[in-house]
Amino acid sequence: MKSLQVAQPQQDSSDKVSDKTIVIPNKLTALADSFKGEHSWFIAPQIPTDFSIQVQETTYNVHKYPLISKCGYIGRLEIQPFISNSGNALKLENFPGGSETFETVLKFCYGLPVDFSPDNIAALRCASEFLEMTEELEDGNLISKTEAFLTFVVLSSWKDTITVLKSCENLSPWAENLQIVRRCCDSIAWKASKDDHTSEDAAPNQESWWFNDVATFRIDHFMRIISAIRAKGTRAEIIGKCIIEYAKKWLPGMDVEIEGLRGYGHEKYNLQFSIFSGKKKESSGHSKEQKTIIETLISIIPPQPDAVSCKFMLQLLKMAMMYSVSPALTTELEKRVSMVLEDAEVNDLLIPRYQNGDQGKTVISMTNSSEECTMLDIDVVQRIVEYFLMHEQQQMQQQQKTRKFNISRLLDNYLAEIARDPNLSITKFQVFAELLPENSRSYDDGLYRAIDTYLKTHPSLSEHDRKRLCKIMNCEKLSLDACLHAAQNERLPLRTVVQVLFSEQVKMRTAMQEKEPAQSGIQSEQEGNQTSASMDIKALKAELENVKSKMVDLQNDYFELQQEYEKLSNKPKNSSGWILHWRKIKNSLHTKPAGIEIGDRQDTPKSPNTVLRILNPRRRLSMS
């Protein structure tokens, strides 16, 4: 128990304060012993107390005059019923700061020294407003003193502003109505947006020095700070980094990732695993708080596409699905993801199909039911892709085709992942595979790999379903390696294998035709080679026409010689030598020139003499 001595004031106007002695300005002399029990607080002066006030669970027996002289709220009340000896006390409901703050106010009313600090200034400012401790009652009253300390001391310091704003979390709505929260948020935003910040509380020239401090606030105050920082013109990527930092602190489940479906095998029934592995049970209040945080973060993400990464938004989408965030915000987040879908990775798209389990846990379970229950939520990814295609149609850009090729590779890899799910129906697989237009894929190798994975996971598919599945891919778009693999794949239907073999033959023939000797890489030389080749072809064609005309002349000469031969053969002279000579000439006429086909005969090798005889018919005639 500590005693408090109140002495008679001296002639001078100044107060003399000793170790435990104070002079009260109203000249009330009393000996006060303060005692604070579990539920009561007493001042036991020489003059009996005449007033009782109850704040929360504590009752304060005090004097009427010191409080009425400084507190307009108490002075306006009809306090007579509370002064009686019946034990009734004035109850101050919802008093800002609670009993601890009221004790500090009592010390101020009794003239005792009060220490202002960033920890109690906001509560004292709200309490003084509650009790209406204005300058009209007394100069230098508590409202003016706390306001001056708040404005000139606290708001000039980053660290003190953070402390005051943190204390305002338990002072609603008084801190809001008195603009304490707004002024603190504006001060933080102004300091955070300065490029040349030189405060001793933070390292200069670091754009993220304030992230950790801001991430400690409650979500509503964090939203107010982000709004104030955005109003100061801070870059969107800086705001996005701050939001990511806040999410890491308050949403620990965002770091949980699913590394595909490789680990769970082909069991269709009784498949169950936990997604959010908390060490303690999640209460309904905690779940509600998490849901509020997620909804607020979605609403304050800057609209610029590069504000936050696609990976972060997909992680936030998983959390939104886990805590059943409002459909409007979920749809908005899906649209935001679709705008940067080309930056996503396959593991980012593996969003589990969440189901609320017991004890607040979020689990995925598969039971033996007639309804399709896939392990992953494919519908969400399908909606994202549809939003992406709608956005691409609206934004007719030159890089649109390249973006679609990137998305096609991403979705083909995603198809290969979901194809491992034994509960995935062929209809769902086919619909998802046909989301992108046919011209979006330069090659169908990724699509073939996904189909092959699905056939491997579902070995009981009928022949009709196999044909239906293989119709999704275009065999002509398979690379040569994919064709070689597909030609030996026993899981494919026979019709598809035939198509693949035909496509393989076409590709091999095309590859052989396009194979040319290595030439210079300069485009001008290639064009010159093409021009030279075309000239050579024209010269060969002209020479061929010349040979054909000479062939006609040779045929005419042949007919003339045949007629002469018939005339000579009718004479009885010894003509054996002439006949032998004529047969040689006749055989030479039946030998065709090189490169010319006569009728349906095949090419035969020709001697140089034969070619000369054909090209020079006059020489042949002279021989005859």
Side-chain angles (χ1 to χ4, degrees), residues 354-411:
Y354 293 103
Q355 181 178 359
N356 292 330
D358 297 334
Q359 299 177 354
K361 270 189 175 180
T362 303
V363 299
I364 295 176
S365 61
M366 295 184 188
T367 56
N368 187 4
S369 62
S370 58
E371 299 180 359
E372 177 188 351
C373 184
T374 56
M375 203 171 182
L376 299 176
D377 198 334
I378 304 173
D379 297 332
V380 175
V381 183
Q382 181 175 342
R383 289 195 298 268
I384 293 174
V385 176
E386 291 173 352
Y387 291 140
F388 169 80
L389 295 176
M390 292 173 57
H391 181 71
E392 288 296 300
Q393 292 178 358
Q394 296 174 359
Q395 303 291 333
M396 301 299 294
Q397 300 176 353
Q398 294 182 356
Q399 67 268 24
Q400 178 179 0
K401 191 173 182 179
T402 304
R403 292 188 63 190
K404 284 186 176 180
F405 286 159
N406 296 334
I407 296 299
S408 66
R409 287 193 292 268
L410 174 66
L411 296 186

Side-chain angles (χ1 to χ4, degrees), residues 212-229:
N212 291 332
D213 291 336
V214 173
T216 60
F217 291 115
R218 200 172 59 188
I219 185 61
D220 55 341
H221 290 169
F222 177 77
M223 180 181 64
R224 296 281 297 273
I225 293 174
I226 292 298
S227 301
I229 291 176

Side-chain angles (χ1 to χ4, degrees), residues 247-316:
K248 290 180 180 178
K249 181 178 181 61
W250 292 88
L251 300 175
M254 290 191 64
D255 296 334
V256 176
E257 292 187 1
I258 301 178
E259 299 294 337
L261 302 177
R262 301 179 181 87
Y264 81 94
H266 301 285
E267 296 291 338
K268 289 187 177 181
Y269 311 121
N270 299 326
L271 178 62
Q272 187 176 30
F273 70 97
S274 176
I275 296 302
F276 186 78
S277 56
K279 295 183 179 180
K280 298 181 180 179
K281 293 182 180 180
E282 286 187 315
S283 62
S284 59
H286 178 72
S287 298
K288 186 177 181 179
E289 180 184 1
Q290 295 281 293
K291 180 179 178 181
T292 303
I293 292 174
I294 296 170
E295 291 178 345
T296 305
L297 292 181
I298 295 174
S299 62
I300 64 176
I301 293 178
Q304 290 80 358
D306 57 347
V308 294
S309 63
C310 181
K311 182 181 184 65
F312 171 76
M313 285 192 290
L314 285 170
Q315 289 176 340
L316 196 61

Side-chain angles (χ1 to χ4, degrees), residues 345-590:
E345 297 180 358
V346 177
N347 287 336
D348 300 333
L349 295 177
L350 302 180
I351 301 176
R353 185 180 296 277
Y354 293 103
Q355 181 178 359
N356 292 330
D358 297 334
Q359 299 177 354
K361 270 189 175 180
T362 303
V363 299
I364 295 176
S365 61
M366 295 184 188
T367 56
N368 187 4
S369 62
S370 58
E371 299 180 359
E372 177 188 351
C373 184
T374 56
M375 203 171 182
L376 299 176
D377 198 334
I378 304 173
D379 297 332
V380 175
V381 183
Q382 181 175 342
R383 289 195 298 268
I384 293 174
V385 176
E386 291 173 352
Y387 291 140
F388 169 80
L389 295 176
M390 292 173 57
H391 181 71
E392 288 296 300
Q393 292 178 358
Q394 296 174 359
Q395 303 291 333
M396 301 299 294
Q397 300 176 353
Q398 294 182 356
Q399 67 268 24
Q400 178 179 0
K401 191 173 182 179
T402 304
R403 292 188 63 190
K404 284 186 176 180
F405 286 159
N406 296 334
I407 296 299
S408 66
R409 287 193 292 268
L410 174 66
L411 296 186
D412 289 345
N413 293 333
Y414 179 78
L415 272 173
E417 289 291 340
I418 65 176
R420 303 174 187 274
D421 193 336
N423 290 328
L424 179 64
S425 66
I426 186 174
T427 302
K428 177 69 69 174
F429 183 90
Q430 182 178 2
V431 169
F432 194 92
E434 294 176 347
L435 281 177
L436 293 179
E438 185 178 358
N439 58 357
S440 299
R441 293 181 173 91
S442 56
Y443 289 96
D444 279 7
D445 289 9
L447 187 58
Y448 165 70
R449 182 170 67 91
I451 293 174
D452 183 49
T453 304
Y454 188 88
L455 293 176
K456 188 186 302 182
T457 310
H458 302 77
S460 61
L461 282 179
S462 62
E463 187 70 15
H464 173 73
D465 289 338
R466 293 174 183 270
K467 292 180 181 179
R468 170 188 170 189
L469 195 64
C470 292
K471 286 181 180 179
I472 302 175
M473 66 177 178
N474 186 355
C475 295
E476 297 179 358
K477 286 188 175 183
L478 295 179
S479 65
L480 187 59
D481 293 337
C483 288
L484 293 175
H485 183 276
Q488 306 175 27
N489 194 342
E490 298 178 354
R491 290 181 290 271
L492 298 179
L494 182 60
R495 180 182 179 86
T496 304
V497 174
V498 173
Q499 293 176 351
V500 169
L501 290 174
F502 177 77
S503 177
E504 180 183 357
Q505 294 295 329
V506 172
K507 285 182 175 60
M508 293 179 65
R509 184 182 303 172
T510 304
M512 293 180 64
Q513 291 177 353
E514 293 179 353
K515 187 176 181 180
E516 296 178 355
Q519 301 290 338
S520 174
I522 303 175
Q523 185 67 24
S524 59
E525 293 185 4
Q526 293 180 354
E527 294 177 355
N529 292 338
Q530 293 179 357
T531 304
S532 177
S534 61
M535 293 176 63
D536 293 341
I537 292 174
K538 291 181 180 179
L540 290 174
K541 287 183 178 180
E543 185 177 354
L544 180 62
E545 293 295 332
N546 188 20
V547 171
K548 287 182 179 180
S549 63
K550 291 181 180 181
M551 188 63 188
V552 173
D553 295 339
L554 287 174
Q555 288 179 350
N556 294 332
D557 293 342
Y558 170 74
F559 291 133
E560 293 178 359
L561 290 174
Q562 190 175 12
Q563 291 177 358
E564 292 179 3
Y565 170 74
E566 291 177 353
K567 292 179 181 180
L568 294 174
S569 62
N570 293 329
K571 294 180 181 182
K573 296 180 180 181
N574 186 9
S575 58
S576 59
W578 167 252
I579 292 174
L580 180 62
H581 184 63
W582 169 244
R583 286 179 179 176
K584 292 180 180 180
I585 296 176
K586 186 176 180 180
N587 293 333
S588 66
L589 289 174
H590 284 287

Side-chain angles (χ1 to χ4, degrees), residues 10-276:
Q10 303 297 326
Q11 297 297 327
D12 56 345
S13 59
S14 62
D15 298 340
K16 295 182 180 180
V17 181
S18 63
D19 210 3
K20 294 182 180 179
T21 304
I22 187 170
V23 178
I24 299 179
N26 59 16
K27 298 182 181 181
L28 176 63
T29 302
L31 179 61
D33 291 332
S34 60
F35 170 78
K36 183 177 179 182
E38 185 177 0
H39 299 292
S40 62
W41 188 91
F42 299 95
I43 290 183
Q46 294 178 351
I47 300 176
T49 59
D50 54 1
F51 197 45
S52 297
I53 299 177
Q54 182 178 351
V55 178
Q56 293 179 340
E57 300 298 329
T58 306
T59 301
Y60 299 89
N61 297 319
V62 295
H63 296 90
K64 170 184 174 183
Y65 179 75
L67 271 66
I68 292 179
S69 62
K70 295 184 180 181
C71 303
Y73 176 78
I74 296 178
R76 289 188 297 102
L77 295 178
E78 296 292 338
I79 61 174
Q80 293 299 327
F82 301 100
I83 304 176
S84 63
N85 296 326
S86 61
N88 294 331
L90 174 63
K91 292 184 179 181
L92 299 181
E93 301 290 345
N94 300 322
F95 186 79
S99 59
E100 182 179 356
T101 303
F102 187 74
E103 291 176 13
T104 307
V105 173
L106 284 179
K107 292 180 181 180
F108 178 83
C109 293
Y110 275 92
L112 299 176
V114 176
D115 293 332
F116 295 150
S117 68
D119 295 318
N120 64 5
I121 191 62
L124 289 174
R125 177 65 183 91
C126 296
S128 63
E129 191 72 24
F130 182 94
L131 296 173
E132 301 176 10
M133 304 176 69
T134 62
E135 294 294 300
E136 298 176 356
L137 298 177
E138 183 178 291
D139 293 339
N141 211 345
L142 191 56
I143 288 181
S144 61
K145 288 183 179 295
T146 54
E147 187 66 30
F149 185 85
L150 185 65
T151 303
F152 298 106
V153 178
V154 171
L155 296 180
S156 61
S157 170
W158 169 270
K159 184 177 180 179
D160 293 344
T161 305
I162 294 292
T163 302
V164 171
L165 184 58
K166 188 70 177 176
S167 66
C168 290
E169 295 179 354
N170 301 320
L171 297 174
S172 300
W174 288 94
E176 290 284 352
N177 297 336
L178 295 176
Q179 304 297 319
I180 300 177
V181 174
R182 181 190 62 79
R183 287 183 289 174
C184 289
C185 291
D186 290 342
S187 177
I188 292 173
W190 182 77
K191 293 179 176 65
S193 59
K194 286 183 63 177
D195 295 334
D196 56 346
H197 185 75
T198 57
S199 173
E200 62 180 1
D201 302 321
N205 301 325
Q206 291 184 359
E207 61 183 14
S208 61
W209 58 267
W210 49 275
F211 286 178
N212 291 332
D213 291 336
V214 173
T216 60
F217 291 115
R218 200 172 59 188
I219 185 61
D220 55 341
H221 290 169
F222 177 77
M223 180 181 64
R224 296 281 297 273
I225 293 174
I226 292 298
S227 301
I229 291 176
R230 184 183 300 176
K232 299 295 182 182
T234 306
R235 290 178 297 165
E237 55 268 24
I238 301 300
I239 298 177
K241 291 179 181 178
C242 184
I243 293 175
I244 294 174
E245 187 70 22
Y246 188 88
K248 290 180 180 178
K249 181 178 181 61
W250 292 88
L251 300 175
M254 290 191 64
D255 296 334
V256 176
E257 292 187 1
I258 301 178
E259 299 294 337
L261 302 177
R262 301 179 181 87
Y264 81 94
H266 301 285
E267 296 291 338
K268 289 187 177 181
Y269 311 121
N270 299 326
L271 178 62
Q272 187 176 30
F273 70 97
S274 176
I275 296 302
F276 186 78

